[in-house]
Amino acid sequence: MTDAEGPDAGLPPDREDVVAALLAHQRRFLAFVERRVGSRAVAEDLLQTAFARTLEKGGALKDGEGAVAWVYRLLRNALVDHHRRQAAEGRALEVEARDADGATDDLELKGAVCACLTELLPTLKPEYAELVRQVDLEGRAVPDVAREVGITANNAGVRLHRARLALKRSLERGCGACAAHGCLDCSCKPRR
């Protein structure tokens, strides 16, 4: 293979030593990240992003050693961001689990749910209506429903929040004062 056919073919001269330095340290970078995230796939994703950002910076990096230091800085920042995201997801799932554990099975309360709610539920987007039905009316846990539907628990939580807001607005428009008090003693006339 000639120099023109090598992995650095077509790169400007100021990037050839940067690419060579990145490739020479690739295993060390990967081990550095993998030890901290515990997943080879996540480590590879974070490293790939760092490599791409380093190559974008290209000419601003004077040599290969500067690129290595730059990649380590990017990887440290990426690890902090990754762990923050993981912690936020964990907190959100804990809240949902607590809410699901605290859900009451009081039959009288379930029977007192406003009839307007069941009439307005079909007016929501189908995926929103299904989440409200399964989580709020049937008392199922958000992560379980999300798994069945094929979305993340976070995505399901966002959809459920939006569904509840849309349903609340519809109830307030349709029921007025009774909706303001939680619809427990609904005095609305059934719609037909």
Side-chain angles (χ1 to χ4, degrees):
M1 179 181 331
T2 66
D3 286 341
E5 297 170 346
D8 299 339
L11 288 175
D14 64 338
R15 288 194 182 175
E16 287 178 9
D17 64 332
V18 170
V19 171
L22 295 181
L23 292 176
H25 287 81
Q26 182 175 1
R27 285 192 179 140
R28 282 182 249 165
F29 291 143
L30 192 56
F32 173 80
V33 177
E34 189 174 358
R35 273 193 313 271
R36 287 156 177 83
V37 296
S39 165
R40 178 79 169 203
V42 172
E44 287 174 348
D45 287 346
L46 293 174
L47 182 58
Q48 181 179 12
T49 302
F51 275 6
R53 289 194 55 206
T54 302
L55 291 176
E56 287 171 4
K57 188 167 178 77
L61 297 170
K62 300 298 181 206
D63 58 17
E65 288 307 310
V68 170
W70 173 257
V71 170
Y72 274 117
R73 188 172 331 138
L74 289 177
L75 292 175
R76 282 186 202 95
N77 291 340
L79 287 166
V80 168
D81 292 342
H82 171 76
H83 289 300
R84 281 184 187 149
R85 276 191 306 274
Q86 294 293 93
E89 288 173 7
R91 285 191 304 272
L93 289 175
E94 285 175 19
V95 168
E96 287 299 328
R98 269 196 311 268
D99 289 349
D101 289 343
T104 179
D105 287 336
D106 185 13
L107 295 176
E108 184 179 331
L109 181 60
K110 284 184 179 181
V113 171
C114 178
C116 301
L117 178 100
T118 54
E119 291 179 21
L120 290 173
L121 205 54
T123 65
L124 297 176
K125 289 181 179 181
E127 61 269 18
Y128 287 6
E130 188 60 21
L131 276 171
V132 169
R133 186 183 61 73
Q134 289 192 36
V135 174
D136 292 335
L137 300 179
E138 294 176 8
R140 297 195 52 216
V142 172
D144 295 340
V145 175
R147 226 181 344 271
E148 282 180 18
V149 177
I151 58 176
T152 66
N154 288 345
N155 189 338
V158 169
R159 286 184 185 183
L160 185 59
H161 175 73
R162 290 177 180 164
R164 288 172 176 163
L165 286 177
L167 194 55
K168 178 183 175 189
R169 284 190 294 266
S170 294
L171 282 169
E172 287 171 347
R173 270 193 310 270
C175 298
C178 118
H181 297 92
C183 292
L184 290 177
D185 292 318
C186 183
S187 59
C188 297
K189 296 193 176 14
R191 297 180 180 106
R192 296 283 171 211

